[in-house]
């Protein structure tokens, strides 16, 4: 289902409310979490909302999508640090239930298998948050990744590294590889919410809308998921056909 909201603020309110409702109905839910600029206003709104309703998050389990290889959890540009800054440190999470790939692991293959098995041991993900890259990647599953691929190591596409360089200080190189939850784990989630905002995502959203399911655009796989929602702001939806934008406009207020 495609939903278009006026701006990032209304998206943050909507996704936050979705998360709160999920946790209230299932306090021991398993969440799949994403990082990046798209998620920052969502996490900020969720934290504020959770405080307002005194939400208990202590029984939640979370699995993050990915982590850069070579960055320790305390590295300021690691996704572990991102999650602490934007979410984990603000609410009463049980830290033993918060899982991220280990970018410093010595045996990458064994770690990927163990991470995938750990997700399965918890019964899989109840609600998976996703952003999308300019080339259509979700997690770090770059174009061409098989849809049945489990958690794995990926060499990041040059465009992905360019896109992510804005998060690194001048002179710091974006790592060339990462561990990512695979398309298999993502597609096994019981519910998926993908958010895309800004003009920079308009072209890939237009391609997603026009294309059949193809590994060349990884997130087209979501068209096969029974409970996947694609949530856009007006800017990200700007290149969609007029009929798509009119028929799927969501009134907020």
């Amino acid at each position: 289902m495609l939903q278009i909201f006026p701006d990032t603020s209304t998206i943050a309110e909507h996704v936050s409310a979705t998360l709160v409702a999920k946790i209230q109905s299932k306090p021991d839910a398993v969440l799949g979490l994403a990082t990046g600029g798209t998620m920052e206003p969502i996490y900020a709104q969720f934290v504020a909302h959770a405080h307002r309703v005194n939400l208990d998050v202590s029984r939640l389990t979370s699995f993050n999508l990915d982590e850069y290889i070579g960055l320790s959890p305390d590295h300021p540009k690691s996704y572990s640090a991102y999650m602490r800054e934007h979410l984990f440190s603000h609410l009463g999470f049980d830290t033993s239930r918060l899982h991220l790939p280990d970018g410093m692991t010595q045996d990458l293959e064994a770690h990927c298998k163990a991470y995938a098995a750990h997700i399965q041991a918890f019964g899989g993900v109840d609600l998976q948050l996703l952003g999308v890259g300019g080339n259509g990647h979700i997690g770090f599953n770059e174009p061409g990744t098989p849809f049945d691929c489990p958690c794995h190591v990926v060499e990041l596409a040059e465009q992905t590294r360019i896109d992510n360089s804005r998060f690194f200080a001048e002179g710091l190189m974006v790592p060339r590889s990462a561990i990512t939850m695979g398309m298999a784990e993502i597609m096994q989630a019981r519910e998926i919410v993908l958010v895309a905002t800004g003009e920079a995502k308009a072209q890939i959203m237009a391609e997603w809308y026009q294309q059949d399911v193809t590994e060349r655009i990884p997130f087209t796989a979501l068209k096969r998921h029974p409970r996947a929602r694609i949530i856009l702001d007006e800017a990200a939806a700007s290149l969609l056909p007029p009929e798509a934008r009119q028929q799927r406009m969501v009134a907020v207020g």
Side-chain angles (χ1 to χ4, degrees), residues 2-224:
L2 180 63
Q3 297 176 298
I4 302 171
F5 287 79
D7 50 37
T8 58
S9 177
T10 51
I11 285 176
E13 291 174 7
H14 176 76
V15 177
S16 169
T18 298
L19 289 170
V20 169
K22 172 63 70 175
I23 296 164
Q24 288 175 330
S25 66
K26 188 176 183 181
D28 60 348
V30 178
L31 301 181
L33 300 179
T35 54
T38 302
M39 294 297 146
E40 291 179 18
I42 292 172
Y43 290 145
Q45 182 64 35
F46 172 69
V47 168
H49 194 164
H51 282 304
R52 286 198 305 272
V53 300
N54 196 28
L55 187 69
D56 180 9
V57 298
S58 64
R59 295 169 59 192
L60 289 177
T61 298
S62 71
F63 288 92
N64 262 73
L65 282 166
D66 40 36
E67 181 60 280
Y68 290 116
I69 291 174
L71 298 192
S72 66
D74 59 355
H75 189 287
K77 296 304 178 183
S78 71
Y79 287 143
S80 290
Y82 172 103
M83 293 305 302
R84 290 193 300 273
E85 177 183 355
H86 295 288
L87 181 59
F88 293 159
S89 66
H90 300 284
L91 296 170
F93 291 96
D94 178 347
T95 57
S96 70
R97 292 176 174 268
L98 308 177
H99 307 286
L100 293 96
D102 181 2
M104 298 299 290
T105 188
Q106 295 301 304
D107 190 333
L108 290 168
E109 182 177 356
H111 181 67
C112 290
K113 290 181 179 178
Y115 197 72
H118 204 182
I119 294 171
Q120 294 304 314
F122 277 89
V125 171
D126 291 305
L127 175 61
Q128 177 69 59
L129 287 180
L130 294 174
V132 60
N135 62 3
H137 73 253
I138 48 178
F140 274 135
N141 293 284
E142 299 284 14
T145 303
F147 286 155
D148 61 353
C149 183
C151 181
H152 62 286
V153 173
V154 60
E155 294 297 317
L156 300 179
E158 187 62 23
Q159 187 59 53
T160 299
R161 296 181 70 236
I162 291 170
D163 291 345
N164 287 4
S165 65
R166 69 188 189 278
F167 299 113
F168 287 74
E170 186 175 354
L172 289 179
M173 294 290 291
V174 180
R176 294 185 177 277
S177 57
I179 299 168
T180 184
M181 194 184 293
M183 295 295 295
E185 288 86 21
I186 291 171
M187 290 297 289
Q188 287 165 6
R190 282 174 277 281
E191 183 177 358
I192 295 174
V193 175
L194 181 144
V195 180
T197 58
E199 292 181 2
K201 300 298 172 64
Q203 182 59 47
I204 194 62
M205 292 313 308
E207 292 180 29
W208 169 83
Y209 187 81
Q210 296 162 0
Q211 292 288 331
D212 293 330
V213 175
T214 171
E215 291 175 355
R216 292 187 296 102
I217 305 175
F219 82 120
T220 57
L222 301 188
K223 292 183 177 185
R224 293 178 175 168

